[in-house]
Amino acid sequence: MANSKGSATGMAFYGLPDQVDAQRLLEIAQTFFVDLGLKPNTVSYSVKLPQNARGEDIGWKKADISTLREALATEGAHDFYLECVPPKSSQWICSASFLTTWFLADKEEYDNAGRLVCTYYCADSAQLNRIFMRLAREMDDLTRTPYAIAYEIDGDLADVSSYANADGFLTIFKNEDARAWKTQLPLGSRNVPKQYVERMRMVYPCNLLGPAHLAHTIEGGSLYDWIHAASDRGRWRP
């Protein structure tokens, strides 16, 4: 479901550490809805199931917020998903999720980098900046998140989520390689991939950057100095 302009907005926080307080992440996700004057009415979390004929062994269990909070504390729950679907509609207008790769720990190829992916609907640029700045501060205080982006995309919220997950199908920029971000991730590491710590996916309306990102060379100097050299190159907030 897209807005009247045919666009939607999302935020993705990449490279969360192995040990992270999922209950606190849930609190942050809930404030995301509050910022928009909404309340999640669909809540679920991932569970391990017996493997089916297609080799799938992960499912989603529906719950309410209280049950999810308890599951995160006592049942070893990992990923969770919240969404808001208006009455008499089948289309979600806001979602927040915490997605990890814990279920791949017994497989050859996996990267153990979690990510909180927040997507929301019909927000203008001022709202995007405000919400992203607040979430970035809270996420960084909790997880020392190395990299995050906020972006607008022509499409609906399913497209916003697909772009955040870098599944290789969607691009925002004409010169963007839809598969590079995911295929170039260094798999097989239990540490936060250098991809998140050192590389920038593209340049977005809002970006959470670390020291290695700001040290990138551009026009003979650092990215940090380049941004500060002209007012039309964006605003930097420490």
Side-chain angles (χ1 to χ4, degrees):
M1 180 177 179
N3 62 21
S4 60
K5 295 182 180 180
S7 64
T9 313
M11 291 176 278
F13 293 82
Y14 294 107
L16 278 63
D18 294 355
Q19 301 300 321
V20 63
D21 185 348
Q23 293 182 79
R24 178 65 184 123
L25 287 176
L26 175 59
E27 293 175 4
I28 294 174
Q30 287 180 271
T31 63
F32 170 70
F33 285 85
V34 172
D35 269 352
L36 297 171
L38 300 171
K39 183 178 181 179
N41 52 19
T42 299
V43 178
S44 58
Y45 62 93
S46 60
V47 292
K48 194 84 168 179
L49 301 172
Q51 193 173 88
N52 62 24
R54 295 191 297 271
E56 300 167 339
D57 57 1
I58 300 299
W60 288 86
K61 185 175 181 179
K62 290 188 176 181
D64 55 30
I65 290 292
S66 296
T67 302
L68 171 58
R69 189 177 296 113
E70 182 178 353
L72 292 173
T74 63
E75 295 183 17
H78 297 269
D79 304 1
F80 63 78
Y81 180 79
L82 314 176
E83 72 176 17
C84 177
V85 180
K88 299 181 180 180
S89 173
S90 61
Q91 300 290 334
W92 49 294
I93 62 171
C94 176
S95 74
S97 61
F98 174 52
L99 306 175
T100 69
T101 53
W102 64 273
F103 52 86
L104 296 178
D106 58 349
K107 297 178 172 58
E108 285 187 15
E109 291 187 342
Y110 91 105
D111 75 88
N112 201 24
R115 59 185 179 273
L116 178 68
V117 179
C118 295
T119 56
Y120 67 94
Y121 166 73
C122 195
D124 58 31
S125 296
Q127 192 176 31
L128 174 67
N129 293 341
R130 177 181 64 82
I131 295 177
F132 181 80
M133 288 299 294
R134 184 189 63 74
L135 284 174
R137 284 193 296 269
E138 292 195 38
M139 291 292 295
D140 198 44
D141 288 344
L142 176 65
T143 69
R144 307 307 301 173
T145 306
Y147 186 60
I149 60 175
Y151 54 93
E152 297 177 74
I153 189 169
D154 290 333
D156 58 22
L157 285 183
D159 294 329
V160 171
S161 179
S162 179
Y163 185 81
N165 294 330
D167 57 20
F169 296 106
L170 294 172
T171 62
I172 295 177
F173 308 96
K174 290 182 179 180
N175 61 335
E176 183 176 3
D177 184 338
R179 299 185 180 277
W181 181 245
K182 191 168 186 177
T183 58
Q184 293 177 16
L185 278 173
L187 297 176
S189 171
R190 291 179 181 268
N191 300 314
V192 175
K194 291 177 66 178
Q195 173 89 353
Y196 301 136
V197 177
E198 298 182 358
R199 296 188 58 227
M200 296 173 61
R201 183 174 176 181
M202 298 293 284
V203 178
Y204 302 93
C206 301
N207 308 265
L208 175 64
L209 305 176
H213 300 121
L214 295 171
H216 283 311
T217 300
I218 179 171
E219 296 183 359
S222 69
L223 175 60
Y224 177 87
D225 291 336
W226 184 86
I227 293 172
H228 284 77
S231 60
D232 62 350
R233 294 174 180 174
R235 292 180 297 165
W236 166 256
R237 295 184 184 180

